[in-house]
Amino acid sequence: MSKKKGFTKDRYKEEILLVLKNQPFMSTNEVAESLSMGYDTTLKYLTELHKTSHIKLKTVGNRRFWYK
């Protein structure tokens, strides 16, 4: 999937944080679908946000769930 027009690294993160604010417990795939982003791109930015303590992660089986 190509880069969304006008989306910078910070813009991707802002959009993800906004989605998680409105629906706080989502899988990686749910976040990707809600923003029309590729799975790998979504996972990349979710992981970055988690490493900087902006969001939290809960793993259930082989699925990852993200929340604020």
Side-chain angles (χ1 to χ4, degrees):
M1 179 177 279
S2 62
K3 184 175 179 180
K4 287 183 153 209
K5 186 174 182 175
F7 271 47
T8 62
K9 183 177 181 175
D10 290 334
R11 176 73 188 272
Y12 279 115
K13 290 179 182 180
E14 289 170 10
E15 292 294 321
I16 289 170
L17 289 172
L18 185 60
V19 166
L20 289 175
K21 181 179 179 183
N22 293 328
Q23 189 171 347
F25 198 75
M26 297 177 77
S27 70
T28 305
N29 195 49
E30 290 171 333
V31 175
E33 286 180 1
S34 70
L35 293 173
S36 299
M37 290 171 60
Y39 182 88
D40 291 336
T41 302
T42 305
L43 182 57
K44 172 185 170 181
Y45 290 115
L46 285 167
T47 302
E48 286 183 20
L49 288 166
H50 179 253
K51 285 180 181 177
T52 58
S53 300
H54 285 92
I55 61 174
K56 297 177 182 171
L57 167 65
K58 180 171 178 86
T59 304
V60 179
N62 65 346
R63 296 189 68 193
R64 298 177 189 114
F65 293 92
W66 307 90
Y67 59 101
K68 284 192 65 107

